[in-house]
């Protein structure tokens, strides 16, 4: 059983703040500062270039990949970290397309995060006019999986509402039509149990600065099913994905297995911060995290609906159909969220009217939920959001 009071003590959580935005940027693990400082002083400072070997920097992308892999049901040696999620989406979709020559449609839905759609669109434009990005409503995805489709590219948990696709069923259906799947786990990794191997998934990608607490700009990860890895030709064929980077061959030969999905020099400072976060995750069981997350979100919905009739639930009511976030619609949602943040409850806002709250059992408990609801109630019932200072739009919402 995961000891959530122990994990909560392992994060820096500012006094007076209830942090319900770990779905956007997880908080700082309290060992991360010293870990990064040690890496800077003892490794970079003292070892200089020899750190790549002596301190094991070169092994970090795959080592971190395996630790993340445990949380998402990936086989050992099938996940590698690096780059950003947008880049990993490009890599995955490009490689998936190549596995399905002759087909020219990438299917996605309008619940997907825009960056995934932009990236796919940019990739397809570079391939030629006959390629098509087909975007349908989330509930129409299953019906749109046809033998014309090369790649099904979906984000499992909708970033706005928390609605969840059925990864197993859609992957199975895709395979019956010869479609290769790319799953984005940005709002799944560390939020819900994922079983990539059990779902027979092909490609998956995700980021580590949301639920996984790797810090702003932390590297992304990519999964390739072991049955496919040897046949995948990376579109971003960088030297560190080469079979022998230090042979400095003029021709690219892909590295073995998942190593070929590496591109260039890994961000070691950022990976050191992520490894501090993974020390906490190593102690967590995703089934426990899920059970606790459902308790917290059910409590939150019940209390908010009882005291704030102006807020309309935008997330699925059935906990089995949503991830670990709860969203409410409110016309003045931007101002209401600014007022909440000013009163110590940090969530975020997604246009046009979504107030979003993430529930992260590693450091949020029932007491936090109850206090958060008291503050939300005070702000909604007394219309405290209706003040000019809360209506000024900031650059990041
Ligand atoms: C957060 C998120 C991104 C962000 O991509 P970055 O390259 O890390 O900025 C992309 N896709 C999805 C589905 C996300 O939730």
């Amino acid at each position: 059983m995961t000891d959530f009071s122990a994990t909560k003590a392992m994060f820096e959580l500012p006094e007076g703040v209830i942090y319900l935005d770990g779905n956007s940027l997880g908080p700082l693990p309290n060992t991360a500062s010293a870990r990064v400082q040690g890496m800077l002083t003892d490794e970079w400072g003292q070892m200089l270039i020899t750190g790549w070997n002596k301190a094991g920097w070169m092994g970090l992308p795959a080592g971190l990949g395996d630790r993340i892999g445990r949380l998402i049901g990936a086989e050992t040696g099938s996940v590698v970290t690096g780059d950003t999620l947008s880049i990993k989406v490009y890599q995955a979709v490009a490689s998936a397309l190549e596995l399905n020559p002759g087909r020219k449609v990438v299917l996605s839905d309008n619940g997907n995060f825009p960056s995934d759609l932009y990236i796919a669109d940019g990739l397809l434009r570079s391939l030629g006019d006959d390629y098509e990005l087909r975007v349908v409503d989330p509930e129409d995805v299953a019906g749109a999986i046809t033998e014309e489709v090369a790649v099904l590219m979906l984000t499992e948990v909708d970033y706005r509402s928390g609605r969840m696709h059925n990864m197993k069923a859609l992957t199975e259906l895709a395979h019956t039509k010869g479609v290769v799947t790319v799953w984005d786990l940005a709002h799944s990794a560390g939020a819900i149990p994922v079983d990539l191997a059990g779902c027979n998934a092909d490609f998956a990608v995700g980021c580590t600065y949301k639920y996984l607490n790797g810090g702003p700009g932390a590297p992304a990860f990519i999964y390739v099913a072991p049955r496919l890895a040897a046949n995948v030709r990376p579109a971003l064929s960088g030297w560190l994905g080469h079979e022998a980077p230090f042979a400095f061959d003029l021709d690219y030969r892909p590295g073995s297995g998942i190593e070929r999905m590496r591109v260039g020099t890994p961000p070691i400072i950022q990976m050191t911060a992520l490894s501090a976060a993974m020390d906490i995750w190593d102690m967590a069981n995703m089934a426990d995290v899920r059970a606790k997350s459902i308790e917290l979100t059910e409590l939150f919905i019940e209390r908010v609906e009882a005291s704030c009739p102006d807020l309309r639930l935008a997330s699925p009511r059935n906990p089995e159909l949503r991830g670990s976030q709860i969203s409410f619609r409110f016309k003045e949602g931007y101002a209401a969220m600014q007022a909440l943040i000013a009163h110590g409850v940090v969530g975020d806002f997604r246009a046009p009217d979504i107030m979003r709250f993430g529930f992260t059992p590693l450091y949020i408990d029932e007491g936090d939920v109850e206090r958060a609801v008291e503050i939300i109630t005070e702000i909604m019932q007394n219309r405290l959001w209706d003040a000019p200072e809360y209506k000024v739009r900031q650059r990041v919402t």
Side-chain angles (χ1 to χ4, degrees), residues 4 6 8 38 55 59-60 68 94 113 119 149 172 188 192 206 231 273 297 347 361 367 382:
F4 290 116
K8 183 169 187 169
L60 275 177
I68 294 165
F113 190 78
I119 289 278
V149 175
E172 250 173 53
S188 306
I192 56 172
N231 297 323
T297 54
N382 301 314

Side-chain angles (χ1 to χ4, degrees), residues 84-86 113 116 155 184 186-187 209-210:
T84 73
L85 177 50
S86 301
F113 190 78
D116 297 41
T155 295
D184 191 326
H187 296 277
Y209 51 80
K210 292 173 179 162

